[in-house]
């Protein structure tokens, strides 16, 4: 495979990795949003649970208060479970993003090394051309000097 095709293939793979990383980054942001929403909901339920007062005036009021408190406790349990699930999901998405970033960075380093190698090859080619020109010029000067001094062609 030629250097140009290799470079093109590596750059295409790097572009794919960047797109994958961006998608995972979006997933991480969405997971963070879900987590924040569930945490806010849990805080609201905890606040409401703390404000639930049992009324001693009538049995109906007392029963309603107990039912409200029980519902809030159940809601709190549900929100805790949702928060835990959102945290776990966020952890998985962050790990996937980190893997995608490492894969992208690895390819970036390969591209960088490839570009450096190409630059070095170009510099070596230039240096060899300069060396050849210098040797040719030196040989031409030596021939002219020999002709002038010795009269040989």
């Amino acid at each position: 495979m030629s250097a140009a095709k290799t470079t093109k293939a590596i750059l295409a793979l790097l572009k794919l990795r960047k797109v994958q990383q961006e998608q995972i980054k979006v997933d991480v942001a969405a997971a963070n949003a879900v987590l924040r929403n569930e945490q806010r909901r849990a805080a609201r339920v905890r606040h409401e649970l703390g404000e639930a007062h049992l009324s001693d005036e009538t049995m109906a009021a007392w029963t309603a208060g107990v039912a409200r408190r029980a519902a809030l406790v159940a809601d709190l349990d549900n929100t805790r479970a949702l928060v835990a699930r959102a945290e776990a999901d966020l952890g998985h998405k962050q790990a996937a993003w980190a893997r995608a970033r490492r894969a992208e960075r690895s390819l970036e380093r390969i591209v960088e090394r490839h570009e450096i190698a190409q630059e070095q090859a170009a510099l070596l080619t230039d240096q060899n051309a300069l060396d050849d020109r210098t040797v040719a010029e030196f040989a031409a000067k030596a021939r002219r000097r020999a002709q002038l001094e010795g009269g040989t062609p």
Side-chain angles (χ1 to χ4, degrees), residues 29-85:
N32 267 324
V34 168
L35 176 60
R36 282 191 305 276
N37 287 340
E38 294 304 332
Q39 287 171 333
R40 278 193 293 266
R41 184 173 176 218
R44 181 187 45 78
V45 169
R46 276 193 300 273
H47 179 71
E48 287 180 12
L49 187 59
E51 290 181 354
H53 297 288
L54 299 178
S55 172
D56 292 330
E57 295 176 15
T58 64
M59 182 56 95
W62 182 81
T63 303
V66 169
R68 179 171 182 249
R69 190 170 182 88
L72 289 172
V73 167
D75 197 23
L76 179 60
D77 288 342
N78 287 338
T79 58
R80 284 179 180 158
L82 290 172
V83 166
R85 192 166 89 202

Side-chain angles (χ1 to χ4, degrees), residues 134-149:
T134 303
V135 167
E137 288 175 0
F138 182 75
K141 285 180 184 178
R143 278 193 301 275
R144 278 193 301 273
R145 190 175 326 129
Q147 286 175 348
L148 292 174
E149 293 174 358

Side-chain angles (χ1 to χ4, degrees), residues 9-152:
I10 290 172
L11 291 175
L13 185 56
L14 178 60
K15 185 176 181 180
L16 173 65
R17 292 291 190 244
K18 285 184 179 187
V19 168
Q20 289 173 335
Q21 178 194 0
E22 287 301 316
Q23 180 58 49
I24 292 170
K25 193 172 164 182
V26 168
D27 292 346
V28 169
N32 267 324
V34 168
L35 176 60
R36 282 191 305 276
N37 287 340
E38 294 304 332
Q39 287 171 333
R40 278 193 293 266
R41 184 173 176 218
R44 181 187 45 78
V45 169
R46 276 193 300 273
H47 179 71
E48 287 180 12
L49 187 59
E51 290 181 354
H53 297 288
L54 299 178
S55 172
D56 292 330
E57 295 176 15
T58 64
M59 182 56 95
W62 182 81
T63 303
V66 169
R68 179 171 182 249
R69 190 170 182 88
L72 289 172
V73 167
D75 197 23
L76 179 60
D77 288 342
N78 287 338
T79 58
R80 284 179 180 158
L82 290 172
V83 166
R85 192 166 89 202
E87 287 172 342
D89 187 43
L90 175 61
H92 293 300
K93 301 248 168 132
Q94 286 174 329
W97 177 81
R99 285 190 303 273
R101 179 65 188 128
R102 279 192 305 274
E104 176 192 358
R105 186 62 193 127
S106 294
L107 284 173
E108 285 174 345
R109 285 192 296 269
I110 289 171
V111 167
E112 289 168 4
R113 285 192 299 265
H114 182 70
E115 289 171 350
I116 289 169
Q118 285 181 325
E119 283 180 36
Q120 288 174 342
L123 289 173
L124 182 61
T125 300
D126 290 347
Q127 185 62 50
N128 287 339
L130 287 173
D131 290 348
D132 291 345
R133 183 176 171 194
T134 303
V135 167
E137 288 175 0
F138 182 75
K141 285 180 184 178
R143 278 193 301 275
R144 278 193 301 273
R145 190 175 326 129
Q147 286 175 348
L148 292 174
E149 293 174 358
T152 58

